Structure formats: C-alpha cells, structure tokens
Amino acid sequence: MTTRVLTGITTTGTPHLGNYAGALRPAIRASTQPGADAFFFLADYHALIKCDDPARVARSRLEIAATWLAAGLDPEKVTFYRQSDIPETTELTWLLTCVTPKGLMNRAHAYKASVDQNNAKGVEPDDGVTMGLFSYPVLMAADILLFNAHKVPVGRDQVQHLEMARDIAQRFNHLYQGDFFVLPEVQIEEDVATLPGLDGRKMSKSYNNTIPLFEGGAKALRAAVSRIVTDSRQPGEPKDAEDSHLFTIYRAFATPAQATALREQLQAGMAWGDAKNALYELLEGIVAPMRDRYDALMANPDQIEDILQAGARKAREHARPLMARLRDAVGLSRLGAAPVSAAESKKPSAKGARFVSFREQDGSFRFRLLAADGDELLVSKPFVDPKAAGTVIKQFPEGEVVLADSGDVTLEGAVVAQACAGVDEVRIRLALASLAG
C-alpha cells in the first residue's frame, strides 16, 4: 500500500548540522522506503509570516533547495517543489478559510503566545499580529490537504496544527457532503537525533550555538568544533562520554563501533582537543562529498530552478483534479455546467452531532463537541490520557449537564469543559440528545 508523506521546510535561514541530523537525513531516508510517496516543498509563503527581508527569503530558498538535493533527495523519486509555484495552494487556503471557525484560530499556540507577550508588555493584545500569523494554520492545512497526505512528520510543537488540519478537513467534508479530504495523521519524530549545540543546549540559531553544515567550508566546520564547550578535566584524566555533548554529536554520525571506540578512549584519558579532532574528521568525511555537490548547485541556480519547476508540474497534476472537485462542491463550477439549486445541494446530513478528540502540544488530550452543521459547541479540559477523555465522552449523552454563566460545562457535578462563545445550554443539550437518541 502506498502512503503519501508530506514535509515542508520554511525558507528563512541557512541549514546547520542540527537541521541535517534532525530533519534532512531522516526525511530523505524515509523517502526511499518501499510504498512511500514523498512530497517535499519549500514553504516560502510561510516564510513571509516570519521574515520581511526579501533578500533573506530569496537566498534561503536557494540554499535550502541546494541543501536537500546535496544531502541526497532524489527529485526523480519524490515530488520536490516550491509552495509559491502551486497556485492551487492559495485557492484552497481561501476555501478552507471560509469554513474555519475564528475560535479555532484563537487557540493556535503561535497566536496565543503573541497575545500573551503583548499582555505582558501592557500593549494591545493584537499589537503586531498580522493575518498571516493569525491564519497560519489554515495555510498549513491547505498544504497538507491539497495533496491528501496520509502522514505528516512533525515535531511536538506542530502537533496542534495537524489536529487543526484534521478539524478543518472534517468540517469541509461535512458541510459539502463528500469525502474530499483524507484526514492526515500526525507522525511524531521521536527517534531522530536532537543535537546539542556548542554550549550543550539544543543546537539552534536563536542560541547562536550551531555547527555549520556547508556554510564556510571545512575551515568553518573545524572552527565550530573547536569551540564546543567541554569540562575542565585534563589529558590523562578519565572522562564521562555520556555526560559530554561532544560525544553526543559524535555518536549521532558514527557507527556503533566508532562510538564505542571513542567512549573507551575518553574513559582512558583522551584529551578533549584530540576528541574534537576526531569529531571533526568524522564530520568532514561525511559532509565533504555533500558540500561539493552543494557548491556545484549553488553555482548553478538555473539547475535548481529546473528541478523545482519539474516538481511543481508533478505536484499540480495531483492538485488540479481535486481543486476542480472542490470548485464544483462550493458552487464555483463553470457557467456551462448544469446549475445546482440550493435545495438540491442540501443533501441530508450524513453526520449528526459528534465528539472530536485531539492532542495538545503538551501531550494532554481534549475533545470538542460539534453540532450537526459542524459548529463547535464546547471544548473539554485537558486529560492526561485518551482513556480518561473517552470515559467522559461516553458519560455526556446520558449524564446531567449544566452550563454556568462563566461558560463552564459541568457533568455530574464536575467541570469538564468550556462552552464556546455564543453557545447556549439549549444548543448543547439538543446536540447531546441527538447522540443519546
């Protein structure tokens, strides 16, 4: 069975060694697995949300495309394209925007974080918040749903956006009575390497502790490795490899035999300078061939452009038929097509009120109650495990439910949820009655 996997890369920076170990390498390996139909795209529309420097965005698009290709991504075996070359993406974004509740966007982590920061500063809650930032999850949903991806590998900080994409897809399918969208599954990358940086914290440009991948060549790589912070133990003193972020980086790229050998050498008193040289030699042996390919690609941007344009053509072959169906569904078909009256388009609802479960960024579980028309009625409190949430869901239809003036929803005397803005107790009870019936 073929599984479509989709990965997006925001074009706002230059990839470093941590990006390679944590994202590029595992994604490229996954794309070669039997049954994988892999889509990789440069998320340059997303970049505009975070960066207003056009030169930086343009440079990053080139560098990231060259990096993926140099690292081994095969455009003949995957669909590799640039988001801005797919006009269907923005068209679908608008269709999805028109069915997405504002309340759903209000709960997006990035938006809430901006509001919290503004409140802490004592300024207007929405100060500096653009519609790009606010509706970012809808664009991400369009990226995923346009190609009906089955799985989307993400870090835990992106889980909420995947859950939102599922909610939006369910709502569209329900409103327009069709199975237009596959509900994408979150694929959390638990086993990929998270490299420590020069100071031991997670390798990140925001900490200024990165090791360059290709930028600056071998000289820059050696200089970065030499700045890795180590403890004060002198040559000849035993060193604890497991407590050393230098060894953690080494192990992420070494064979088991190489890692064992370096661990034993450190325990025997190997000097930190010698250990850094061993790390450099290991990394340079892996990176140098890729760097040569990267430099050749960077010197020939037309070659990269041709690859991306070919990928865009492949991607649009998938996108166009779906968009044609969606236009028909919402009433935007060509005028020569047979008109569909409002009465004919309102088919009997295949779904009534329903509960939808989801997982938060912090790992807790919640559920929502949706009305038959897809409107959101309430959101539960967080639960530590899905079974606890499921137990409450089962109790709801027959239990004693009370809606307080504060919006708290009480079930059998315990507050278990919060009603959405503008939703009254009657509407919640009618939805629950339909479930009980």
Side-chain angles (χ1 to χ4, degrees):
M1 177 181 175
T2 299
T3 300
R4 182 165 294 168
V5 182
L6 182 140
T7 300
I9 313 99
T10 305
T11 54
T12 53
T14 302
H16 53 71
L17 193 69
N19 299 141
Y20 174 72
L24 279 75
R25 183 174 62 176
I28 292 170
R29 286 176 178 171
S31 73
T32 64
Q33 298 303 306
D37 181 17
F39 280 59
F40 293 86
F41 69 95
L42 304 179
D44 48 357
Y45 280 144
H46 289 290
L48 302 183
I49 300 169
K50 305 176 182 179
C51 180
D52 59 4
D53 181 350
R56 179 183 173 191
V57 172
R59 179 69 179 178
S60 181
R61 295 200 309 171
L62 176 62
E63 290 176 340
I64 291 177
T67 299
W68 279 88
L69 294 169
L73 189 69
D74 187 347
E76 297 298 322
K77 295 181 179 178
V78 305
T79 303
F80 184 47
Y81 60 97
R82 195 166 36 205
Q83 184 185 36
S84 59
D85 288 330
I86 313 298
E88 290 81 6
T89 298
T90 48
E91 184 177 3
L92 178 56
T93 299
W94 182 248
L95 297 188
L96 298 180
T97 298
C98 292
V99 304
T100 301
K102 178 178 178 292
L104 185 62
M105 295 297 96
N106 288 342
R107 291 191 293 276
H109 295 313
Y111 172 65
K112 289 172 66 177
S114 294
V115 171
D116 289 344
Q117 290 171 7
N118 285 336
N119 288 336
K121 295 176 184 176
V123 298
E124 289 293 323
D126 286 332
D127 184 60
V129 176
T130 65
M131 285 305 298
L133 173 65
F134 183 72
S135 58
Y136 166 89
V138 184
L139 176 57
M140 184 171 174
D143 291 325
I144 298 165
L145 301 179
L146 183 60
F147 300 105
N148 275 323
H150 300 102
K151 294 184 181 296
V152 182
V154 295
R156 289 200 173 275
D157 61 331
Q158 291 289 319
V159 169
Q160 186 198 42
H161 290 146
L162 263 293
E163 297 292 351
M164 287 180 167
R166 288 176 60 91
D167 287 351
I168 294 168
Q170 285 179 317
R171 184 177 177 83
F172 191 99
N173 286 348
H174 174 75
L175 287 176
Y176 292 104
Q177 299 299 311
D179 294 326
F180 301 102
F181 299 121
V182 170
L183 301 187
E185 294 182 11
V186 175
Q187 183 173 307
I188 298 176
E189 302 290 85
E190 299 281 18
D191 57 348
V192 300
T194 300
L195 292 191
L198 304 180
D199 56 3
R201 294 180 293 177
K202 178 182 176 181
M203 191 177 294
S204 171
K205 287 178 183 171
S206 62
Y207 296 146
N208 193 29
N209 67 352
T210 62
I211 296 175
L213 182 58
F214 303 138
E215 190 178 23
K219 183 177 180 180
L221 177 61
R222 182 184 288 277
V225 169
S226 70
R227 294 197 305 273
I228 295 175
V229 176
T230 56
D231 62 34
S232 59
R233 278 175 275 193
Q234 300 298 308
E237 292 185 70
K239 298 168 182 66
D240 183 359
E242 299 304 324
D243 193 41
S244 162
H245 48 278
L246 184 152
F247 180 75
T248 301
I249 298 171
Y250 186 93
R251 183 170 52 193
F253 295 93
T255 65
Q258 289 172 321
T260 297
L262 183 63
R263 181 188 292 107
E264 291 174 350
Q265 288 174 305
L266 288 169
Q267 179 63 33
M270 183 184 201
W272 284 123
D274 292 337
K276 289 179 179 180
N277 188 61
L279 174 59
Y280 165 75
E281 294 293 343
L282 174 69
L283 293 178
E284 179 63 11
I286 295 170
V287 169
M290 294 190 293
R291 187 193 301 126
D292 290 341
R293 294 194 294 272
Y294 175 82
D295 289 342
L297 286 163
M298 289 294 290
N300 189 5
D302 287 343
Q303 180 183 357
I304 299 176
E305 183 67 25
D306 289 343
I307 290 170
L308 291 172
Q309 289 297 329
R313 288 191 290 272
K314 287 169 61 177
R316 295 194 70 192
E317 287 176 5
H318 292 280
R320 286 192 188 103
L322 175 60
M323 286 308 305
R325 286 187 63 212
L326 298 178
R327 291 188 198 104
D328 287 344
V330 302
L332 300 181
S333 55
R334 294 178 59 182
L335 295 180
V340 180
S341 69
E344 291 172 331
S345 66
K346 289 293 184 180
K347 299 178 182 178
S349 176
K351 296 180 181 177
R354 62 199 183 280
F355 287 102
V356 177
S357 300
F358 63 100
R359 191 173 187 176
E360 288 280 21
Q361 181 182 5
D362 62 5
S364 64
F365 296 85
R366 293 178 185 261
F367 60 81
R368 301 186 180 100
L369 174 63
L370 303 181
D373 61 4
D375 283 348
E376 191 172 296
L377 303 181
L378 61 79
V379 181
S380 78
K381 70 174 188 179
F383 295 88
V384 294
D385 62 72
K387 290 183 179 180
T391 298
V392 174
I393 288 174
K394 291 178 181 178
Q395 294 173 345
F396 249 111
E398 302 291 347
E400 182 180 348
V401 178
V402 177
L403 175 60
D405 292 340
S406 63
D408 288 343
V409 178
T410 301
L411 174 65
E412 302 296 343
V415 176
V416 296
Q418 181 76 22
C420 296
V423 175
D424 58 24
E425 186 172 345
V426 172
R427 197 162 182 216
I428 291 175
R429 287 187 178 279
L430 286 173
L432 293 174
S434 71
L435 291 172

PDB file of all heavy atoms in Angstrom, residues 5 25 34 51 77 93-94 112 122 142 159 256 267 276 355 360 377 380:
ATOM      1  N   VAL A   5       3.496  10.840   2.181  1.00  0.00           N
ATOM      2  CA  VAL A   5       4.101  11.568   3.295  1.00  0.00           C
ATOM      3  C   VAL A   5       4.511  12.943   2.790  1.00  0.00           C
ATOM      4  O   VAL A   5       5.108  13.066   1.718  1.00  0.00           O
ATOM      5  CB  VAL A   5       5.320  10.810   3.850  1.00  0.00           C
ATOM      6  CG1 VAL A   5       5.915  11.547   5.042  1.00  0.00           C
ATOM      7  CG2 VAL A   5       4.940   9.387   4.238  1.00  0.00           C
ATOM      8  N   ARG A  25      18.255  14.280   7.114  1.00  0.00           N
ATOM      9  CA  ARG A  25      18.690  12.890   6.991  1.00  0.00           C
ATOM     10  C   ARG A  25      17.557  11.898   7.207  1.00  0.00           C
ATOM     11  O   ARG A  25      17.352  11.007   6.355  1.00  0.00           O
ATOM     12  CB  ARG A  25      19.854  12.625   7.966  1.00  0.00           C
ATOM     13  CG  ARG A  25      20.419  11.231   7.866  1.00  0.00           C
ATOM     14  CD  ARG A  25      21.663  11.065   8.731  1.00  0.00           C
ATOM     15  NE  ARG A  25      21.389  11.268  10.150  1.00  0.00           N
ATOM     16  CZ  ARG A  25      22.302  11.108  11.111  1.00  0.00           C
ATOM     17  NH1 ARG A  25      23.544  10.780  10.789  1.00  0.00           N
ATOM     18  NH2 ARG A  25      21.990  11.291  12.376  1.00  0.00           N
ATOM     19  N   PRO A  34      10.052   1.411   0.751  1.00  0.00           N
ATOM     20  CA  PRO A  34       9.031   0.872  -0.155  1.00  0.00           C
ATOM     21  C   PRO A  34       7.641   1.395   0.217  1.00  0.00           C
ATOM     22  O   PRO A  34       7.289   1.489   1.394  1.00  0.00           O
ATOM     23  CB  PRO A  34       9.118  -0.648   0.081  1.00  0.00           C
ATOM     24  CG  PRO A  34      10.507  -0.869   0.614  1.00  0.00           C
ATOM     25  CD  PRO A  34      10.824   0.346   1.416  1.00  0.00           C
ATOM     26  N   CYS A  51       9.428  36.634   8.185  1.00  0.00           N
ATOM     27  CA  CYS A  51      10.555  37.431   7.708  1.00  0.00           C
ATOM     28  C   CYS A  51      10.090  38.438   6.663  1.00  0.00           C
ATOM     29  O   CYS A  51       9.406  38.066   5.706  1.00  0.00           O
ATOM     30  CB  CYS A  51      11.617  36.494   7.111  1.00  0.00           C
ATOM     31  SG  CYS A  51      13.070  37.344   6.471  1.00  0.00           S
ATOM     32  N   LYS A  77      12.444  10.509  -7.630  1.00  0.00           N
ATOM     33  CA  LYS A  77      11.689   9.553  -6.809  1.00  0.00           C
ATOM     34  C   LYS A  77      10.697  10.234  -5.877  1.00  0.00           C
ATOM     35  O   LYS A  77       9.831   9.569  -5.311  1.00  0.00           O
ATOM     36  CB  LYS A  77      12.654   8.695  -5.989  1.00  0.00           C
ATOM     37  CG  LYS A  77      13.537   7.801  -6.847  1.00  0.00           C
ATOM     38  CD  LYS A  77      14.451   6.955  -5.981  1.00  0.00           C
ATOM     39  CE  LYS A  77      15.327   6.044  -6.848  1.00  0.00           C
ATOM     40  NZ  LYS A  77      16.267   5.226  -6.028  1.00  0.00           N
ATOM     41  N   THR A  93      -6.526  27.577   0.279  1.00  0.00           N
ATOM     42  CA  THR A  93      -6.463  28.287   1.559  1.00  0.00           C
ATOM     43  C   THR A  93      -7.710  29.140   1.760  1.00  0.00           C
ATOM     44  O   THR A  93      -8.289  29.171   2.859  1.00  0.00           O
ATOM     45  CB  THR A  93      -5.207  29.178   1.632  1.00  0.00           C
ATOM     46  OG1 THR A  93      -4.043  28.356   1.533  1.00  0.00           O
ATOM     47  CG2 THR A  93      -5.157  29.963   2.934  1.00  0.00           C
ATOM     48  N   TRP A  94      -8.165  29.817   0.703  1.00  0.00           N
ATOM     49  CA  TRP A  94      -9.359  30.653   0.841  1.00  0.00           C
ATOM     50  C   TRP A  94     -10.607  29.806   1.063  1.00  0.00           C
ATOM     51  O   TRP A  94     -11.441  30.137   1.910  1.00  0.00           O
ATOM     52  CB  TRP A  94      -9.538  31.561  -0.374  1.00  0.00           C
ATOM     53  CG  TRP A  94     -10.726  32.457  -0.213  1.00  0.00           C
ATOM     54  CD1 TRP A  94     -11.895  32.431  -0.917  1.00  0.00           C
ATOM     55  CD2 TRP A  94     -10.882  33.491   0.772  1.00  0.00           C
ATOM     56  NE1 TRP A  94     -12.765  33.377  -0.452  1.00  0.00           N
ATOM     57  CE2 TRP A  94     -12.167  34.050   0.580  1.00  0.00           C
ATOM     58  CE3 TRP A  94     -10.064  33.997   1.774  1.00  0.00           C
ATOM     59  CZ2 TRP A  94     -12.653  35.093   1.371  1.00  0.00           C
ATOM     60  CZ3 TRP A  94     -10.543  35.031   2.560  1.00  0.00           C
ATOM     61  CH2 TRP A  94     -11.825  35.567   2.350  1.00  0.00           C
ATOM     62  N   LYS A 112      -1.645  32.715  20.423  1.00  0.00           N
ATOM     63  CA  LYS A 112      -1.805  32.901  21.860  1.00  0.00           C
ATOM     64  C   LYS A 112      -0.507  33.398  22.497  1.00  0.00           C
ATOM     65  O   LYS A 112      -0.527  34.229  23.410  1.00  0.00           O
ATOM     66  CB  LYS A 112      -2.251  31.585  22.512  1.00  0.00           C
ATOM     67  CG  LYS A 112      -3.692  31.201  22.183  1.00  0.00           C
ATOM     68  CD  LYS A 112      -4.027  29.811  22.694  1.00  0.00           C
ATOM     69  CE  LYS A 112      -4.013  29.729  24.196  1.00  0.00           C
ATOM     70  NZ  LYS A 112      -4.406  28.380  24.666  1.00  0.00           N
ATOM     71  N   GLY A 122       1.940  45.155  28.299  1.00  0.00           N
ATOM     72  CA  GLY A 122       0.952  46.182  28.564  1.00  0.00           C
ATOM     73  C   GLY A 122       0.475  46.902  27.321  1.00  0.00           C
ATOM     74  O   GLY A 122       0.009  48.046  27.403  1.00  0.00           O
ATOM     75  N   ALA A 142      -3.977  23.758   4.101  1.00  0.00           N
ATOM     76  CA  ALA A 142      -4.077  23.693   2.639  1.00  0.00           C
ATOM     77  C   ALA A 142      -2.891  22.947   2.043  1.00  0.00           C
ATOM     78  O   ALA A 142      -3.046  22.148   1.104  1.00  0.00           O
ATOM     79  CB  ALA A 142      -4.186  25.096   2.052  1.00  0.00           C
ATOM     80  N   VAL A 159       2.134  19.631  16.467  1.00  0.00           N
ATOM     81  CA  VAL A 159       1.017  18.680  16.556  1.00  0.00           C
ATOM     82  C   VAL A 159      -0.328  19.404  16.493  1.00  0.00           C
ATOM     83  O   VAL A 159      -1.270  18.955  15.821  1.00  0.00           O
ATOM     84  CB  VAL A 159       1.121  17.839  17.847  1.00  0.00           C
ATOM     85  CG1 VAL A 159      -0.175  17.056  18.080  1.00  0.00           C
ATOM     86  CG2 VAL A 159       2.297  16.878  17.753  1.00  0.00           C
ATOM     87  N   PRO A 256      28.230   2.245  15.372  1.00  0.00           N
ATOM     88  CA  PRO A 256      28.330   1.772  16.765  1.00  0.00           C
ATOM     89  C   PRO A 256      29.771   1.461  17.175  1.00  0.00           C
ATOM     90  O   PRO A 256      30.179   1.762  18.304  1.00  0.00           O
ATOM     91  CB  PRO A 256      27.460   0.515  16.759  1.00  0.00           C
ATOM     92  CG  PRO A 256      26.440   0.773  15.688  1.00  0.00           C
ATOM     93  CD  PRO A 256      27.184   1.517  14.618  1.00  0.00           C
ATOM     94  N   GLN A 267      37.343   7.447  28.286  1.00  0.00           N
ATOM     95  CA  GLN A 267      37.467   6.855  29.614  1.00  0.00           C
ATOM     96  C   GLN A 267      38.935   6.638  29.982  1.00  0.00           C
ATOM     97  O   GLN A 267      39.328   6.753  31.160  1.00  0.00           O
ATOM     98  CB  GLN A 267      36.710   5.518  29.658  1.00  0.00           C
ATOM     99  CG  GLN A 267      36.785   4.780  30.988  1.00  0.00           C
ATOM    100  CD  GLN A 267      36.145   5.548  32.145  1.00  0.00           C
ATOM    101  OE1 GLN A 267      35.172   6.267  31.936  1.00  0.00           O
ATOM    102  NE2 GLN A 267      36.711   5.417  33.338  1.00  0.00           N
ATOM    103  N   LYS A 276      37.989  16.446  19.927  1.00  0.00           N
ATOM    104  CA  LYS A 276      37.418  17.396  18.973  1.00  0.00           C
ATOM    105  C   LYS A 276      37.949  17.134  17.571  1.00  0.00           C
ATOM    106  O   LYS A 276      37.210  17.229  16.582  1.00  0.00           O
ATOM    107  CB  LYS A 276      37.734  18.830  19.398  1.00  0.00           C
ATOM    108  CG  LYS A 276      36.973  19.277  20.637  1.00  0.00           C
ATOM    109  CD  LYS A 276      37.341  20.701  21.042  1.00  0.00           C
ATOM    110  CE  LYS A 276      36.549  21.143  22.258  1.00  0.00           C
ATOM    111  NZ  LYS A 276      36.878  22.531  22.677  1.00  0.00           N
ATOM    112  N   PHE A 355     -18.415  14.051  18.751  1.00  0.00           N
ATOM    113  CA  PHE A 355     -17.238  14.447  19.508  1.00  0.00           C
ATOM    114  C   PHE A 355     -15.998  14.234  18.644  1.00  0.00           C
ATOM    115  O   PHE A 355     -15.907  13.233  17.918  1.00  0.00           O
ATOM    116  CB  PHE A 355     -17.108  13.625  20.790  1.00  0.00           C
ATOM    117  CG  PHE A 355     -18.103  13.991  21.856  1.00  0.00           C
ATOM    118  CD1 PHE A 355     -19.222  13.215  22.080  1.00  0.00           C
ATOM    119  CD2 PHE A 355     -17.916  15.121  22.636  1.00  0.00           C
ATOM    120  CE1 PHE A 355     -20.144  13.547  23.058  1.00  0.00           C
ATOM    121  CE2 PHE A 355     -18.829  15.466  23.623  1.00  0.00           C
ATOM    122  CZ  PHE A 355     -19.948  14.676  23.842  1.00  0.00           C
ATOM    123  N   GLU A 360      -2.995  17.944  22.558  1.00  0.00           N
ATOM    124  CA  GLU A 360      -2.374  19.252  22.661  1.00  0.00           C
ATOM    125  C   GLU A 360      -0.854  19.133  22.551  1.00  0.00           C
ATOM    126  O   GLU A 360      -0.279  18.043  22.618  1.00  0.00           O
ATOM    127  CB  GLU A 360      -2.733  19.901  24.005  1.00  0.00           C
ATOM    128  CG  GLU A 360      -4.177  20.356  24.095  1.00  0.00           C
ATOM    129  CD  GLU A 360      -4.411  21.694  23.383  1.00  0.00           C
ATOM    130  OE1 GLU A 360      -3.593  22.068  22.509  1.00  0.00           O
ATOM    131  OE2 GLU A 360      -5.403  22.349  23.705  1.00  0.00           O
ATOM    132  N   LEU A 377     -19.274  23.516  19.737  1.00  0.00           N
ATOM    133  CA  LEU A 377     -20.129  23.871  20.860  1.00  0.00           C
ATOM    134  C   LEU A 377     -19.353  23.976  22.177  1.00  0.00           C
ATOM    135  O   LEU A 377     -19.616  24.867  22.979  1.00  0.00           O
ATOM    136  CB  LEU A 377     -21.259  22.846  21.004  1.00  0.00           C
ATOM    137  CG  LEU A 377     -22.146  22.660  19.763  1.00  0.00           C
ATOM    138  CD1 LEU A 377     -23.235  21.633  20.047  1.00  0.00           C
ATOM    139  CD2 LEU A 377     -22.749  23.981  19.319  1.00  0.00           C
ATOM    140  N   SER A 380     -13.293  20.456  25.847  1.00  0.00           N
ATOM    141  CA  SER A 380     -13.072  19.855  27.163  1.00  0.00           C
ATOM    142  C   SER A 380     -11.836  20.424  27.846  1.00  0.00           C
ATOM    143  O   SER A 380     -10.989  21.063  27.229  1.00  0.00           O
ATOM    144  CB  SER A 380     -12.905  18.339  27.021  1.00  0.00           C
ATOM    145  OG  SER A 380     -11.602  18.021  26.562  1.00  0.00           O
TER     146      SER A 380
END
